[in-house]
PDB file of all heavy atoms in Angstrom:
ATOM      1  N   LYS A   2      -8.862  12.252  -6.608  1.00  0.00           N
ATOM      2  CA  LYS A   2      -8.272  11.033  -6.102  1.00  0.00           C
ATOM      3  C   LYS A   2      -8.943  10.647  -4.787  1.00  0.00           C
ATOM      4  O   LYS A   2      -9.401  11.494  -4.021  1.00  0.00           O
ATOM      5  CB  LYS A   2      -6.770  11.236  -5.859  1.00  0.00           C
ATOM      6  CG  LYS A   2      -5.976  11.375  -7.145  1.00  0.00           C
ATOM      7  CD  LYS A   2      -4.489  11.473  -6.842  1.00  0.00           C
ATOM      8  CE  LYS A   2      -3.696  11.569  -8.125  1.00  0.00           C
ATOM      9  NZ  LYS A   2      -2.241  11.699  -7.850  1.00  0.00           N
ATOM     10  N   SER A  32     -11.637   3.302   8.593  1.00  0.00           N
ATOM     11  CA  SER A  32     -10.320   2.982   9.134  1.00  0.00           C
ATOM     12  C   SER A  32      -9.249   3.774   8.410  1.00  0.00           C
ATOM     13  O   SER A  32      -9.294   3.911   7.194  1.00  0.00           O
ATOM     14  CB  SER A  32     -10.031   1.486   8.976  1.00  0.00           C
ATOM     15  OG  SER A  32     -11.038   0.725   9.592  1.00  0.00           O
ATOM     16  N   PHE A  34      -4.918   4.851   8.407  1.00  0.00           N
ATOM     17  CA  PHE A  34      -3.596   4.403   8.821  1.00  0.00           C
ATOM     18  C   PHE A  34      -2.529   5.299   8.225  1.00  0.00           C
ATOM     19  O   PHE A  34      -2.714   5.895   7.162  1.00  0.00           O
ATOM     20  CB  PHE A  34      -3.329   2.966   8.319  1.00  0.00           C
ATOM     21  CG  PHE A  34      -4.415   1.973   8.643  1.00  0.00           C
ATOM     22  CD1 PHE A  34      -5.453   1.763   7.752  1.00  0.00           C
ATOM     23  CD2 PHE A  34      -4.371   1.231   9.811  1.00  0.00           C
ATOM     24  CE1 PHE A  34      -6.458   0.847   8.032  1.00  0.00           C
ATOM     25  CE2 PHE A  34      -5.370   0.310  10.095  1.00  0.00           C
ATOM     26  CZ  PHE A  34      -6.415   0.118   9.210  1.00  0.00           C
ATOM     27  N   TYR A  36       1.269   4.487   6.920  1.00  0.00           N
ATOM     28  CA  TYR A  36       2.296   3.490   6.646  1.00  0.00           C
ATOM     29  C   TYR A  36       3.582   4.220   6.300  1.00  0.00           C
ATOM     30  O   TYR A  36       3.573   5.346   5.801  1.00  0.00           O
ATOM     31  CB  TYR A  36       1.894   2.589   5.469  1.00  0.00           C
ATOM     32  CG  TYR A  36       1.024   1.408   5.839  1.00  0.00           C
ATOM     33  CD1 TYR A  36      -0.302   1.586   6.222  1.00  0.00           C
ATOM     34  CD2 TYR A  36       1.531   0.114   5.796  1.00  0.00           C
ATOM     35  CE1 TYR A  36      -1.092   0.505   6.563  1.00  0.00           C
ATOM     36  CE2 TYR A  36       0.745  -0.978   6.131  1.00  0.00           C
ATOM     37  CZ  TYR A  36      -0.571  -0.770   6.507  1.00  0.00           C
ATOM     38  OH  TYR A  36      -1.359  -1.843   6.849  1.00  0.00           O
ATOM     39  N   GLN A  38       7.209   3.735   4.123  1.00  0.00           N
ATOM     40  CA  GLN A  38       7.885   2.916   3.114  1.00  0.00           C
ATOM     41  C   GLN A  38       9.293   3.444   2.905  1.00  0.00           C
ATOM     42  O   GLN A  38       9.487   4.601   2.510  1.00  0.00           O
ATOM     43  CB  GLN A  38       7.115   2.920   1.791  1.00  0.00           C
ATOM     44  CG  GLN A  38       7.709   1.972   0.759  1.00  0.00           C
ATOM     45  CD  GLN A  38       6.873   1.870  -0.503  1.00  0.00           C
ATOM     46  OE1 GLN A  38       6.103   2.756  -0.822  1.00  0.00           O
ATOM     47  NE2 GLN A  38       7.016   0.759  -1.210  1.00  0.00           N
ATOM     48  N   ARG A  41      12.726   1.194  -1.885  1.00  0.00           N
ATOM     49  CA  ARG A  41      12.778  -0.159  -2.431  1.00  0.00           C
ATOM     50  C   ARG A  41      12.361  -1.230  -1.420  1.00  0.00           C
ATOM     51  O   ARG A  41      12.765  -2.395  -1.539  1.00  0.00           O
ATOM     52  CB  ARG A  41      14.152  -0.467  -3.003  1.00  0.00           C
ATOM     53  CG  ARG A  41      14.438   0.374  -4.239  1.00  0.00           C
ATOM     54  CD  ARG A  41      15.768   0.024  -4.870  1.00  0.00           C
ATOM     55  NE  ARG A  41      15.917   0.712  -6.162  1.00  0.00           N
ATOM     56  CZ  ARG A  41      15.598   0.186  -7.328  1.00  0.00           C
ATOM     57  NH1 ARG A  41      15.132  -1.039  -7.388  1.00  0.00           N
ATOM     58  NH2 ARG A  41      15.743   0.878  -8.438  1.00  0.00           N
ATOM     59  N   LYS A  42      11.569  -0.830  -0.453  1.00  0.00           N
ATOM     60  CA  LYS A  42      11.060  -1.789   0.519  1.00  0.00           C
ATOM     61  C   LYS A  42       9.533  -1.793   0.473  1.00  0.00           C
ATOM     62  O   LYS A  42       8.920  -0.959  -0.193  1.00  0.00           O
ATOM     63  CB  LYS A  42      11.515  -1.415   1.932  1.00  0.00           C
ATOM     64  CG  LYS A  42      13.014  -1.430   2.124  1.00  0.00           C
ATOM     65  CD  LYS A  42      13.532  -2.842   2.224  1.00  0.00           C
ATOM     66  CE  LYS A  42      14.993  -2.860   2.633  1.00  0.00           C
ATOM     67  NZ  LYS A  42      15.500  -4.240   2.743  1.00  0.00           N
ATOM     68  N   GLU A  43       8.943  -2.722   1.212  1.00  0.00           N
ATOM     69  CA  GLU A  43       7.494  -2.758   1.255  1.00  0.00           C
ATOM     70  C   GLU A  43       6.957  -1.767   2.287  1.00  0.00           C
ATOM     71  O   GLU A  43       7.650  -1.411   3.235  1.00  0.00           O
ATOM     72  CB  GLU A  43       7.008  -4.182   1.587  1.00  0.00           C
ATOM     73  CG  GLU A  43       7.214  -4.627   3.025  1.00  0.00           C
ATOM     74  CD  GLU A  43       8.594  -5.201   3.279  1.00  0.00           C
ATOM     75  OE1 GLU A  43       9.535  -4.906   2.521  1.00  0.00           O
ATOM     76  OE2 GLU A  43       8.712  -5.929   4.276  1.00  0.00           O
ATOM     77  N   PRO A  44       5.706  -1.339   2.130  1.00  0.00           N
ATOM     78  CA  PRO A  44       5.099  -0.477   3.157  1.00  0.00           C
ATOM     79  C   PRO A  44       4.923  -1.232   4.470  1.00  0.00           C
ATOM     80  O   PRO A  44       4.602  -2.420   4.472  1.00  0.00           O
ATOM     81  CB  PRO A  44       3.729  -0.130   2.558  1.00  0.00           C
ATOM     82  CG  PRO A  44       3.831  -0.433   1.112  1.00  0.00           C
ATOM     83  CD  PRO A  44       4.799  -1.558   0.999  1.00  0.00           C
ATOM     84  N   LEU A  46       3.211  -0.736   8.516  1.00  0.00           N
ATOM     85  CA  LEU A  46       2.331   0.079   9.339  1.00  0.00           C
ATOM     86  C   LEU A  46       3.131   0.906  10.333  1.00  0.00           C
ATOM     87  O   LEU A  46       3.947   0.378  11.091  1.00  0.00           O
ATOM     88  CB  LEU A  46       1.336  -0.807  10.087  1.00  0.00           C
ATOM     89  CG  LEU A  46       0.345  -0.053  10.974  1.00  0.00           C
ATOM     90  CD1 LEU A  46      -0.616   0.768  10.130  1.00  0.00           C
ATOM     91  CD2 LEU A  46      -0.411  -1.024  11.875  1.00  0.00           C
ATOM     92  N   LEU A  87       2.911   7.093   3.875  1.00  0.00           N
ATOM     93  CA  LEU A  87       1.723   6.822   3.071  1.00  0.00           C
ATOM     94  C   LEU A  87       0.467   6.925   3.916  1.00  0.00           C
ATOM     95  O   LEU A  87       0.361   6.277   4.962  1.00  0.00           O
ATOM     96  CB  LEU A  87       1.807   5.410   2.475  1.00  0.00           C
ATOM     97  CG  LEU A  87       3.035   5.118   1.608  1.00  0.00           C
ATOM     98  CD1 LEU A  87       3.180   3.614   1.406  1.00  0.00           C
ATOM     99  CD2 LEU A  87       2.914   5.827   0.281  1.00  0.00           C
ATOM    100  N   ASN A  95     -14.018  -2.059   1.726  1.00  0.00           N
ATOM    101  CA  ASN A  95     -13.360  -2.373   2.977  1.00  0.00           C
ATOM    102  C   ASN A  95     -11.916  -2.795   2.757  1.00  0.00           C
ATOM    103  O   ASN A  95     -11.323  -3.446   3.599  1.00  0.00           O
ATOM    104  CB  ASN A  95     -14.115  -3.452   3.758  1.00  0.00           C
ATOM    105  CG  ASN A  95     -14.020  -3.228   5.254  1.00  0.00           C
ATOM    106  OD1 ASN A  95     -13.885  -2.112   5.705  1.00  0.00           O
ATOM    107  ND2 ASN A  95     -14.069  -4.291   6.013  1.00  0.00           N
ATOM    108  N   ASP A  96     -11.360  -2.452   1.612  1.00  0.00           N
ATOM    109  CA  ASP A  96      -9.941  -2.659   1.401  1.00  0.00           C
ATOM    110  C   ASP A  96      -9.247  -1.310   1.553  1.00  0.00           C
ATOM    111  O   ASP A  96      -9.859  -0.348   1.969  1.00  0.00           O
ATOM    112  CB  ASP A  96      -9.694  -3.262   0.024  1.00  0.00           C
ATOM    113  CG  ASP A  96     -10.423  -2.486  -1.050  1.00  0.00           C
ATOM    114  OD1 ASP A  96     -10.634  -1.277  -0.867  1.00  0.00           O
ATOM    115  OD2 ASP A  96     -10.809  -3.086  -2.053  1.00  0.00           O
ATOM    116  N   MET A  97      -7.991  -1.231   1.226  1.00  0.00           N
ATOM    117  CA  MET A  97      -7.232  -0.026   1.520  1.00  0.00           C
ATOM    118  C   MET A  97      -6.903   0.758   0.258  1.00  0.00           C
ATOM    119  O   MET A  97      -6.553   0.187  -0.758  1.00  0.00           O
ATOM    120  CB  MET A  97      -5.945  -0.386   2.232  1.00  0.00           C
ATOM    121  CG  MET A  97      -6.179  -1.066   3.577  1.00  0.00           C
ATOM    122  SD  MET A  97      -4.639  -1.305   4.440  1.00  0.00           S
ATOM    123  CE  MET A  97      -3.774  -2.335   3.273  1.00  0.00           C
ATOM    124  N   ARG A  98      -6.973   2.067   0.373  1.00  0.00           N
ATOM    125  CA  ARG A  98      -6.576   2.923  -0.720  1.00  0.00           C
ATOM    126  C   ARG A  98      -5.467   3.840  -0.229  1.00  0.00           C
ATOM    127  O   ARG A  98      -5.532   4.386   0.856  1.00  0.00           O
ATOM    128  CB  ARG A  98      -7.753   3.746  -1.242  1.00  0.00           C
ATOM    129  CG  ARG A  98      -8.968   2.896  -1.608  1.00  0.00           C
ATOM    130  CD  ARG A  98      -8.654   1.867  -2.685  1.00  0.00           C
ATOM    131  NE  ARG A  98      -9.653   0.823  -2.791  1.00  0.00           N
ATOM    132  CZ  ARG A  98     -10.450   0.660  -3.829  1.00  0.00           C
ATOM    133  NH1 ARG A  98     -10.359   1.477  -4.862  1.00  0.00           N
ATOM    134  NH2 ARG A  98     -11.320  -0.307  -3.845  1.00  0.00           N
ATOM    135  N   PHE A  99      -4.467   3.996  -1.082  1.00  0.00           N
ATOM    136  CA  PHE A  99      -3.262   4.715  -0.692  1.00  0.00           C
ATOM    137  C   PHE A  99      -3.187   6.100  -1.286  1.00  0.00           C
ATOM    138  O   PHE A  99      -3.556   6.318  -2.441  1.00  0.00           O
ATOM    139  CB  PHE A  99      -2.031   3.944  -1.192  1.00  0.00           C
ATOM    140  CG  PHE A  99      -1.708   2.702  -0.423  1.00  0.00           C
ATOM    141  CD1 PHE A  99      -2.450   1.548  -0.602  1.00  0.00           C
ATOM    142  CD2 PHE A  99      -0.667   2.685   0.486  1.00  0.00           C
ATOM    143  CE1 PHE A  99      -2.153   0.397   0.112  1.00  0.00           C
ATOM    144  CE2 PHE A  99      -0.358   1.546   1.197  1.00  0.00           C
ATOM    145  CZ  PHE A  99      -1.101   0.404   1.002  1.00  0.00           C
ATOM    146  N   GLY A 100      -2.630   7.007  -0.517  1.00  0.00           N
ATOM    147  CA  GLY A 100      -2.180   8.261  -1.080  1.00  0.00           C
ATOM    148  C   GLY A 100      -0.863   8.040  -1.804  1.00  0.00           C
ATOM    149  O   GLY A 100      -0.264   6.971  -1.705  1.00  0.00           O
ATOM    150  N   ALA A 101      -0.430   9.039  -2.542  1.00  0.00           N
ATOM    151  CA  ALA A 101       0.806   8.915  -3.317  1.00  0.00           C
ATOM    152  C   ALA A 101       2.047   8.919  -2.433  1.00  0.00           C
ATOM    153  O   ALA A 101       3.130   8.569  -2.886  1.00  0.00           O
ATOM    154  CB  ALA A 101       0.890  10.027  -4.344  1.00  0.00           C
TER     155      ALA A 101
ATOM    156  N   TYR B  33      -4.620  -9.123  -0.786  1.00  0.00           N
ATOM    157  CA  TYR B  33      -4.751  -7.977  -1.691  1.00  0.00           C
ATOM    158  C   TYR B  33      -3.577  -7.940  -2.658  1.00  0.00           C
ATOM    159  O   TYR B  33      -2.457  -8.291  -2.294  1.00  0.00           O
ATOM    160  CB  TYR B  33      -4.730  -6.660  -0.901  1.00  0.00           C
ATOM    161  CG  TYR B  33      -5.629  -6.604   0.296  1.00  0.00           C
ATOM    162  CD1 TYR B  33      -5.204  -7.105   1.521  1.00  0.00           C
ATOM    163  CD2 TYR B  33      -6.890  -6.032   0.231  1.00  0.00           C
ATOM    164  CE1 TYR B  33      -6.019  -7.051   2.643  1.00  0.00           C
ATOM    165  CE2 TYR B  33      -7.716  -5.964   1.353  1.00  0.00           C
ATOM    166  CZ  TYR B  33      -7.269  -6.476   2.560  1.00  0.00           C
ATOM    167  OH  TYR B  33      -8.069  -6.414   3.665  1.00  0.00           O
ATOM    168  N   TYR B  35      -1.637  -5.100  -5.075  1.00  0.00           N
ATOM    169  CA  TYR B  35      -1.455  -3.682  -5.375  1.00  0.00           C
ATOM    170  C   TYR B  35      -0.342  -3.533  -6.400  1.00  0.00           C
ATOM    171  O   TYR B  35       0.491  -4.429  -6.559  1.00  0.00           O
ATOM    172  CB  TYR B  35      -1.058  -2.890  -4.114  1.00  0.00           C
ATOM    173  CG  TYR B  35      -2.146  -2.783  -3.084  1.00  0.00           C
ATOM    174  CD1 TYR B  35      -2.311  -3.766  -2.119  1.00  0.00           C
ATOM    175  CD2 TYR B  35      -3.004  -1.687  -3.067  1.00  0.00           C
ATOM    176  CE1 TYR B  35      -3.312  -3.668  -1.165  1.00  0.00           C
ATOM    177  CE2 TYR B  35      -4.008  -1.574  -2.112  1.00  0.00           C
ATOM    178  CZ  TYR B  35      -4.155  -2.572  -1.164  1.00  0.00           C
ATOM    179  OH  TYR B  35      -5.140  -2.469  -0.221  1.00  0.00           O
ATOM    180  N   ARG B  37       2.504  -0.501  -8.010  1.00  0.00           N
ATOM    181  CA  ARG B  37       3.045   0.864  -8.045  1.00  0.00           C
ATOM    182  C   ARG B  37       3.848   1.003  -9.331  1.00  0.00           C
ATOM    183  O   ARG B  37       4.853   0.307  -9.501  1.00  0.00           O
ATOM    184  CB  ARG B  37       3.937   1.145  -6.847  1.00  0.00           C
ATOM    185  CG  ARG B  37       4.396   2.605  -6.798  1.00  0.00           C
ATOM    186  CD  ARG B  37       5.039   2.962  -5.481  1.00  0.00           C
ATOM    187  NE  ARG B  37       4.859   4.370  -5.179  1.00  0.00           N
ATOM    188  CZ  ARG B  37       4.996   4.918  -3.983  1.00  0.00           C
ATOM    189  NH1 ARG B  37       5.323   4.171  -2.949  1.00  0.00           N
ATOM    190  NH2 ARG B  37       4.820   6.213  -3.787  1.00  0.00           N
ATOM    191  N   GLU B  42       1.216   6.590  -7.261  1.00  0.00           N
ATOM    192  CA  GLU B  42       0.873   6.007  -5.972  1.00  0.00           C
ATOM    193  C   GLU B  42       0.598   4.512  -6.107  1.00  0.00           C
ATOM    194  O   GLU B  42       0.349   4.008  -7.202  1.00  0.00           O
ATOM    195  CB  GLU B  42      -0.359   6.696  -5.361  1.00  0.00           C
ATOM    196  CG  GLU B  42      -1.679   6.445  -6.078  1.00  0.00           C
ATOM    197  CD  GLU B  42      -1.953   7.462  -7.162  1.00  0.00           C
ATOM    198  OE1 GLU B  42      -0.998   8.047  -7.705  1.00  0.00           O
ATOM    199  OE2 GLU B  42      -3.139   7.656  -7.453  1.00  0.00           O
ATOM    200  N   ILE B  43       0.658   3.845  -4.979  1.00  0.00           N
ATOM    201  CA  ILE B  43       0.306   2.436  -4.927  1.00  0.00           C
ATOM    202  C   ILE B  43      -1.184   2.323  -5.233  1.00  0.00           C
ATOM    203  O   ILE B  43      -2.011   2.981  -4.588  1.00  0.00           O
ATOM    204  CB  ILE B  43       0.610   1.847  -3.542  1.00  0.00           C
ATOM    205  CG1 ILE B  43       2.126   1.895  -3.270  1.00  0.00           C
ATOM    206  CG2 ILE B  43       0.093   0.428  -3.423  1.00  0.00           C
ATOM    207  CD1 ILE B  43       2.523   1.500  -1.858  1.00  0.00           C
ATOM    208  N   PHE B  45      -4.636  -0.066  -5.812  1.00  0.00           N
ATOM    209  CA  PHE B  45      -5.337  -1.301  -5.526  1.00  0.00           C
ATOM    210  C   PHE B  45      -5.677  -2.024  -6.830  1.00  0.00           C
ATOM    211  O   PHE B  45      -6.112  -1.402  -7.802  1.00  0.00           O
ATOM    212  CB  PHE B  45      -6.610  -0.953  -4.754  1.00  0.00           C
ATOM    213  CG  PHE B  45      -7.610  -2.063  -4.676  1.00  0.00           C
ATOM    214  CD1 PHE B  45      -7.426  -3.093  -3.766  1.00  0.00           C
ATOM    215  CD2 PHE B  45      -8.725  -2.085  -5.492  1.00  0.00           C
ATOM    216  CE1 PHE B  45      -8.349  -4.121  -3.673  1.00  0.00           C
ATOM    217  CE2 PHE B  45      -9.645  -3.101  -5.409  1.00  0.00           C
ATOM    218  CZ  PHE B  45      -9.464  -4.130  -4.496  1.00  0.00           C
ATOM    219  N   ASP B  56     -13.406  -7.885  -4.459  1.00  0.00           N
ATOM    220  CA  ASP B  56     -13.405  -6.632  -5.214  1.00  0.00           C
ATOM    221  C   ASP B  56     -12.270  -6.697  -6.211  1.00  0.00           C
ATOM    222  O   ASP B  56     -11.117  -6.866  -5.804  1.00  0.00           O
ATOM    223  CB  ASP B  56     -13.225  -5.448  -4.253  1.00  0.00           C
ATOM    224  CG  ASP B  56     -13.234  -4.087  -4.944  1.00  0.00           C
ATOM    225  OD1 ASP B  56     -13.276  -4.032  -6.186  1.00  0.00           O
ATOM    226  OD2 ASP B  56     -13.199  -3.072  -4.227  1.00  0.00           O
ATOM    227  N   PHE B  91       2.789  -5.444  -5.329  1.00  0.00           N
ATOM    228  CA  PHE B  91       2.792  -5.815  -3.919  1.00  0.00           C
ATOM    229  C   PHE B  91       1.595  -6.684  -3.614  1.00  0.00           C
ATOM    230  O   PHE B  91       0.490  -6.461  -4.106  1.00  0.00           O
ATOM    231  CB  PHE B  91       2.714  -4.572  -3.026  1.00  0.00           C
ATOM    232  CG  PHE B  91       3.956  -3.739  -2.984  1.00  0.00           C
ATOM    233  CD1 PHE B  91       4.011  -2.524  -3.641  1.00  0.00           C
ATOM    234  CD2 PHE B  91       5.065  -4.157  -2.258  1.00  0.00           C
ATOM    235  CE1 PHE B  91       5.152  -1.734  -3.590  1.00  0.00           C
ATOM    236  CE2 PHE B  91       6.213  -3.379  -2.203  1.00  0.00           C
ATOM    237  CZ  PHE B  91       6.255  -2.172  -2.877  1.00  0.00           C
ATOM    238  N   ALA B  98     -10.567  -7.527   7.111  1.00  0.00           N
ATOM    239  CA  ALA B  98     -10.497  -6.554   6.026  1.00  0.00           C
ATOM    240  C   ALA B  98     -10.672  -5.151   6.565  1.00  0.00           C
ATOM    241  O   ALA B  98     -11.619  -4.865   7.274  1.00  0.00           O
ATOM    242  CB  ALA B  98     -11.580  -6.840   4.990  1.00  0.00           C
ATOM    243  N   GLY B  99      -9.738  -4.288   6.237  1.00  0.00           N
ATOM    244  CA  GLY B  99      -9.901  -2.857   6.450  1.00  0.00           C
ATOM    245  C   GLY B  99      -9.638  -2.331   7.838  1.00  0.00           C
ATOM    246  O   GLY B  99      -9.267  -1.189   8.015  1.00  0.00           O
ATOM    247  N   THR B 100      -9.823  -3.160   8.849  1.00  0.00           N
ATOM    248  CA  THR B 100      -9.738  -2.622  10.197  1.00  0.00           C
ATOM    249  C   THR B 100      -8.483  -3.032  10.945  1.00  0.00           C
ATOM    250  O   THR B 100      -8.184  -2.495  12.002  1.00  0.00           O
ATOM    251  CB  THR B 100     -10.953  -3.065  11.042  1.00  0.00           C
ATOM    252  OG1 THR B 100     -10.992  -4.498  11.047  1.00  0.00           O
ATOM    253  CG2 THR B 100     -12.242  -2.538  10.456  1.00  0.00           C
ATOM    254  N   GLU B 102      -4.207  -4.302  10.673  1.00  0.00           N
ATOM    255  CA  GLU B 102      -3.004  -4.047   9.894  1.00  0.00           C
ATOM    256  C   GLU B 102      -2.902  -5.026   8.739  1.00  0.00           C
ATOM    257  O   GLU B 102      -3.152  -6.224   8.893  1.00  0.00           O
ATOM    258  CB  GLU B 102      -1.781  -4.190  10.791  1.00  0.00           C
ATOM    259  CG  GLU B 102      -0.455  -4.001  10.072  1.00  0.00           C
ATOM    260  CD  GLU B 102       0.734  -4.151  10.996  1.00  0.00           C
ATOM    261  OE1 GLU B 102       0.526  -4.410  12.200  1.00  0.00           O
ATOM    262  OE2 GLU B 102       1.869  -4.017  10.519  1.00  0.00           O
ATOM    263  N   ALA B 103      -2.526  -4.524   7.597  1.00  0.00           N
ATOM    264  CA  ALA B 103      -2.202  -5.375   6.461  1.00  0.00           C
ATOM    265  C   ALA B 103      -0.694  -5.481   6.379  1.00  0.00           C
ATOM    266  O   ALA B 103       0.025  -4.497   6.513  1.00  0.00           O
ATOM    267  CB  ALA B 103      -2.762  -4.796   5.175  1.00  0.00           C
ATOM    268  N   PHE B 105       2.596  -6.473   4.202  1.00  0.00           N
ATOM    269  CA  PHE B 105       2.981  -6.496   2.800  1.00  0.00           C
ATOM    270  C   PHE B 105       4.153  -7.415   2.552  1.00  0.00           C
ATOM    271  O   PHE B 105       5.049  -7.559   3.398  1.00  0.00           O
ATOM    272  CB  PHE B 105       3.356  -5.085   2.333  1.00  0.00           C
ATOM    273  CG  PHE B 105       2.176  -4.211   2.071  1.00  0.00           C
ATOM    274  CD1 PHE B 105       1.484  -3.629   3.122  1.00  0.00           C
ATOM    275  CD2 PHE B 105       1.744  -3.974   0.776  1.00  0.00           C
ATOM    276  CE1 PHE B 105       0.380  -2.827   2.877  1.00  0.00           C
ATOM    277  CE2 PHE B 105       0.648  -3.174   0.526  1.00  0.00           C
ATOM    278  CZ  PHE B 105      -0.036  -2.601   1.574  1.00  0.00           C
ATOM    279  N   GLY B 106       4.148  -8.016   1.379  1.00  0.00           N
ATOM    280  CA  GLY B 106       5.333  -8.692   0.901  1.00  0.00           C
ATOM    281  C   GLY B 106       6.307  -7.666   0.345  1.00  0.00           C
ATOM    282  O   GLY B 106       5.980  -6.483   0.228  1.00  0.00           O
ATOM    283  N   GLN B 107       7.490  -8.132   0.002  1.00  0.00           N
ATOM    284  CA  GLN B 107       8.532  -7.208  -0.466  1.00  0.00           C
ATOM    285  C   GLN B 107       8.336  -6.785  -1.913  1.00  0.00           C
ATOM    286  O   GLN B 107       9.051  -5.924  -2.397  1.00  0.00           O
ATOM    287  CB  GLN B 107       9.903  -7.844  -0.261  1.00  0.00           C
ATOM    288  CG  GLN B 107      10.259  -7.953   1.218  1.00  0.00           C
ATOM    289  CD  GLN B 107      11.755  -8.083   1.430  1.00  0.00           C
ATOM    290  OE1 GLN B 107      12.403  -8.881   0.777  1.00  0.00           O
ATOM    291  NE2 GLN B 107      12.290  -7.311   2.359  1.00  0.00           N
ATOM    292  N   ARG B 110       9.285  -6.792  -8.660  1.00  0.00           N
ATOM    293  CA  ARG B 110       9.585  -5.704  -9.593  1.00  0.00           C
ATOM    294  C   ARG B 110       9.536  -6.270 -11.004  1.00  0.00           C
ATOM    295  O   ARG B 110      10.374  -7.096 -11.383  1.00  0.00           O
ATOM    296  CB  ARG B 110      10.959  -5.119  -9.301  1.00  0.00           C
ATOM    297  CG  ARG B 110      11.298  -3.878 -10.148  1.00  0.00           C
ATOM    298  CD  ARG B 110      12.594  -3.224  -9.658  1.00  0.00           C
ATOM    299  NE  ARG B 110      12.440  -2.705  -8.312  1.00  0.00           N
ATOM    300  CZ  ARG B 110      11.954  -1.526  -8.003  1.00  0.00           C
ATOM    301  NH1 ARG B 110      11.569  -0.688  -8.964  1.00  0.00           N
ATOM    302  NH2 ARG B 110      11.862  -1.127  -6.749  1.00  0.00           N
TER     303      ARG B 110
END
Side-chain angles (χ1 to χ4, degrees):
Chain A
K2 290 184 178 179
S32 304
F34 309 91
Y36 275 71
Q38 186 174 23
R41 293 183 172 266
K42 298 284 189 180
E43 73 275 22
L46 181 68
L87 303 165
N95 214 29
D96 50 29
M97 298 186 300
R98 307 301 164 113
F99 286 76
Chain B
Y33 312 85
Y35 292 87
R37 186 168 209 162
E42 69 270 26
I43 296 173
F45 166 79
D56 181 355
F91 288 106
T100 57
E102 178 180 0
F105 283 78
Q107 291 201 312
R110 186 172 295 275

